[in-house]
Amino acid sequence: MPNATTARLSRRGLLAAGGALGLGAVLTACGDDDAKDGGADTKGAAKSGPWSFEDDRGTTVKLDEAPKNIVAFTGVAAALYDYGIEVKGVFGPTTTKDGKADVQAGDMDVSKVTVLGNVWDQFNVEKYAALAPDVLISTMFDDAGTLWYVPEASKDKIAKLAPSVGISVFDRQLTAPLQRMWELAESLGADMTAAKVTEAKKRFEAASERLRKAAKAKPEIKVLVGSASPELFYVSGSNLSIDLEYFKALGVNFVEPTEAAKKATGGWFESLSWENVDKHKADVIMMDDRSSAIQPADITEATWKQLPAVKAGQVIARSTEPILSYDKCVAPVEALAEAIEKARKVS
């Protein structure tokens, strides 16, 4: 199965998933087409009359009315949920092995949506068609307009069933896709003046200012961004990823992969054997929180346990694919700010 998956994996899958996640974790995401049925009517006072939205590909989707049967990548659905818009179906990491909501599902009740695919390269086209979708929405990790988690093999069949909207999360700061998701939710009928929504934006702005001040006060603190797989440890570069580009703009001092490594992976990451996990010196380590990556508490490698930042307890989670609502983006910013504020220089 890993060999077959490697053969099917496109360049965008290798770089986008691998850059933030690690190829080893992508290979473990191979699965069957089992899907979980549910049902959730879209809530939100959709505006009457024709609906249109121009996405980040420059494509304008036009419908006679605001879409009611929405299908979206899990993280997108979670963001829309925070704004009061519910979807009928999702694809992407939605449930864990024990049936609980995946971290990328946010606050959604995953029992009330139809899961078309829970892992990479899994998308049940027949169940998608049965939902009578009005629109499909996903993010994009490249500048070619490739929809995230829409399989290469079935993308043409999927495209024929409903128009699509793509929100770019490639090579820009976090605030840009946050704003785009805000605009999309508003177009779908979300109340963007609701106290919950406006207060979340204020909290995000306050958290960002806190991080700016923390980074300025401790410029010597080096932050390494990692992701763990059984075979390899991945060090992410601060370019291309929306969260890291934003944090860097706020002054965070990131450890960067070597130029040769970044060139080999399109700028995303550097692969290290566990024997060489101490190649880069860091004071704080941010680790990929997605279920496809090994979490810090489960890493048994002795070389990991000997890292100064690990021994000092200066390891925090990273929302590698942030849920693009202001509410969900507050915690990651605050966590990094607090980590830098409290960090001791150990590198």
Side-chain angles (χ1 to χ4, degrees), residues 22-198:
L23 180 56
V26 173
L27 296 183
T28 66
C30 193
D32 58 25
D33 285 330
D34 290 341
K36 183 176 181 180
D37 286 325
D41 292 330
T42 301
K43 297 177 181 179
K47 298 176 181 178
S48 61
W51 178 85
S52 68
F53 186 83
E54 182 178 355
D55 73 1
D56 289 337
R57 298 170 297 184
T59 299
T60 300
V61 176
K62 297 181 179 180
L63 299 173
D64 292 338
E65 60 181 1
K68 295 181 176 61
N69 294 345
I70 301 172
V71 172
F73 171 67
T74 303
V76 170
L80 292 176
Y81 183 89
D82 284 350
Y83 291 130
I85 304 297
E86 297 186 13
V87 307
K88 282 289 186 68
V90 297
F91 54 96
T94 308
T95 59
T96 57
K97 292 180 180 179
D98 58 6
K100 295 180 180 179
D102 188 274
V103 65
Q104 291 184 253
D107 292 332
M108 281 194 303
D109 184 344
V110 296
S111 69
K112 294 183 178 180
V113 293
T114 298
V115 181
L116 303 173
N118 201 54
V119 298
W120 181 262
D121 222 21
Q122 181 188 85
F123 192 112
N124 192 312
V125 180
E126 290 73 22
K127 288 190 175 183
Y128 177 58
L131 291 175
D134 294 321
V135 68
L136 178 147
I137 310 171
S138 190
T139 48
M140 302 181 296
F141 275 88
D142 60 23
D143 56 6
T146 310
L147 297 174
W148 189 230
Y149 265 79
V150 173
E152 186 73 18
S154 54
K155 67 176 184 180
D156 292 338
K157 291 181 181 179
I158 293 168
K160 291 178 181 178
L161 294 171
S164 62
V165 168
I167 301 297
S168 178
V169 290
F170 174 72
D171 196 17
R172 62 200 61 201
Q173 293 181 28
L174 177 60
T175 45
L178 271 175
Q179 179 60 31
R180 293 295 283 141
M181 192 62 69
W182 175 289
E183 294 167 359
L184 176 60
E186 185 174 35
S187 78
L188 293 170
D191 181 4
M192 309 313 282
T193 64
K196 178 182 177 182
V197 174
T198 57

Side-chain angles (χ1 to χ4, degrees), residues 1-9 27 30 121:
M1 184 64 77
N3 289 337
T5 305
T6 303
R8 294 197 307 270
L9 199 60
L27 296 183
C30 193
D121 222 21

Side-chain angles (χ1 to χ4, degrees), residues 256-271 279-280:
E256 298 288 352
T258 64
E259 289 302 317
K262 288 194 292 185
K263 183 177 181 180
T265 62
W268 285 100
F269 64 100
E270 177 178 9
S271 305
K279 176 179 178 179
H280 300 288

